[in-house]
């Protein structure tokens, strides 16, 4: 059985910098040049949690076009294909206590490209609240396989996404969702095709993918017999994934990425349901089922 390698980001990232600081001068004022110099010459600092990341650096800087405090981050794509990055941050209060998490997605970063983004938003000014932030998770997906619930409809005419799921007493259930965002009817039948990938986006072996979630637990949806599903534009279907994260003898398996094929011949879409399969070696998948709430 293959296990995921924690934080195996070396091939995908040249650097991700979290930039947190405070400015005291407005642009053009006496301290503007000093602020720019501080931004350029800041030294790396240790992650408050003592975490180490491959090719990831946390940096304190004074940045901001008007001298106002901002929090920024950078991603660099060192692979040979365009990547979409999703970063999860923990926001901390003045005492250094973790308060909540937030995610940011940077789409279609080209090979060799470095992209900088601001973590702050109009309704979430991190530094203005006296907070700091740290990166706790990074996920990278080939841009042409990235899952997105918004933006232009993919050329395939469908969107495939994963919800946040439910967890109770070691049982996990995550829904895959298939939306017809195109202009023609889309037909599926049976079970979505699944390939599990570890943190390095390498295939995970030794896990049995079972048709029917009743092999994992009953009463969670996904145990009906498969049947043809026709989705008109705007309609959607779902298929549940179910597993237990029980840990016994052997190595626990984590598969953060799943490549989903809606049907034979369809282009794969990579979602991140964060499968913590323990040592069970089993994943149940239900058949595509029409979401009647989306029906016209």
């Amino acid at each position: 059985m293959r296990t995921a390698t924690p934080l195996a980001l070396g091939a995908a990232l040249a650097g991700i910098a979290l930039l947190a600081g405070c400015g005291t001068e407005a642009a053009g004022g006496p301290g503007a040049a000093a602020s720019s110099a501080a931004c350029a010459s800041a030294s790396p600092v240790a992650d408050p949690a003592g975490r180490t990341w491959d090719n990831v650096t946390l940096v304190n800087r004074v940045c901001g076009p008007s001298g106002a405090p901002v929090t920024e981050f950078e991603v660099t794509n060192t692979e040979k294909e365009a990547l979409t990055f999703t970063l999860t941050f923990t926001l901390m209060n003045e005492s250094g206590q973790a308060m909540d998490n937030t995610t940011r997605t940077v789409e279609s970063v080209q090979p060799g490209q470095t992209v900088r983004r601001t973590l702050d938003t109009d309704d979430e000014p991190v530094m203005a609240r006296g907070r700091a932030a740290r990166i706790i998770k990074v996920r990278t997906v080939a841009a042409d396989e990235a899952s997105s619930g918004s933006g232009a409809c993919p050329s395939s005419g469908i969107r495939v996404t994963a919800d946040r799921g439910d967890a109770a007493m070691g049982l996990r259930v995550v829904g895959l969702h298939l939306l017809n965002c195109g202009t023609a009817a889309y037909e599926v039948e049976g079970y979505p095709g699944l390939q599990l990938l570890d943190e390095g986006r390498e295939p995970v072996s030794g896990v049995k993918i079972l048709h029917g979630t009743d092999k994992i637990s009953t009463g969670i949806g996904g145990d009906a017999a498969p049947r043809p599903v026709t989705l008109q534009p705007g309609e959607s279907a779902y298929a549940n994934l179910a597993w237990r994260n029980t840990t016994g003898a052997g190595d626990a398996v984590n598969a953060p990425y799943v490549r989903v094929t809606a049907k034979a011949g369809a282009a794969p879409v990579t979602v991140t349901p964060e499968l913590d399969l323990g040592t069970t070696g089993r994943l149940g998948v239900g058949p595509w089922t029409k979401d009647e709430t989306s029906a016209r």
Side-chain angles (χ1 to χ4, degrees), residues 191 211-224 242 282 284-285:
Y191 303 87
H211 285 176
T213 58
D214 56 318
K215 310 295 193 303
I216 305 298
S217 184
T218 59
I220 57 176
D223 55 358
R282 304 194 327 156
V285 56

Side-chain angles (χ1 to χ4, degrees), residues 42-43 45 73 79 83 111 119 122 183 191 201 243 280:
S43 301
V45 296
F73 61 94
E79 293 197 8
L83 296 175
L119 182 59
D122 290 341
T183 58
Y191 303 87
R201 291 186 288 137
W243 71 96
T280 60

Side-chain angles (χ1 to χ4, degrees), residues 86 105 107 141 145-154 156-165 173-181 186 192-194 231 235-241 256-262 267-275 285 288-289 291:
T86 300
T105 297
E107 298 181 349
V141 173
E145 292 188 8
S147 170
S148 175
S150 61
C153 183
S156 63
I158 62 169
R159 296 188 194 279
V160 178
T161 57
D163 60 34
R164 302 181 67 175
V173 180
V174 166
L176 299 178
H177 300 271
L178 170 63
L179 170 67
N180 181 357
C181 58
Y186 192 86
L194 306 177
L231 301 177
E235 295 183 337
S236 61
Y238 66 90
N240 286 339
L241 305 180
Y257 303 96
V258 177
R259 296 180 84 219
V260 180
T261 304
V269 176
T270 300
V271 297
T272 53
E274 306 290 340
L275 305 182
V285 56
W288 287 121
T289 302
D291 181 355

Side-chain angles (χ1 to χ4, degrees), residues 24-101:
T24 57
E25 300 286 346
S35 294
S36 296
C39 206
S41 61
S43 301
V45 296
D47 183 334
R51 188 186 307 274
T52 58
W53 297 83
D54 289 347
N55 297 318
V56 175
T57 305
L58 297 179
V59 178
N60 280 340
R61 294 187 180 185
V62 177
C63 293
S66 64
V70 297
T71 305
E72 297 179 326
F73 61 94
E74 283 182 358
V75 296
T76 300
N77 180 6
T78 60
E79 293 197 8
K80 296 180 179 180
E81 62 181 344
L83 296 175
T84 289
F85 294 79
T86 300
L87 285 69
T88 303
F89 299 85
T90 285
L91 306 181
M92 298 171 290
N93 63 15
E94 297 87 339
S95 302
Q97 298 173 315
M99 302 300 293
D100 49 22
N101 293 342

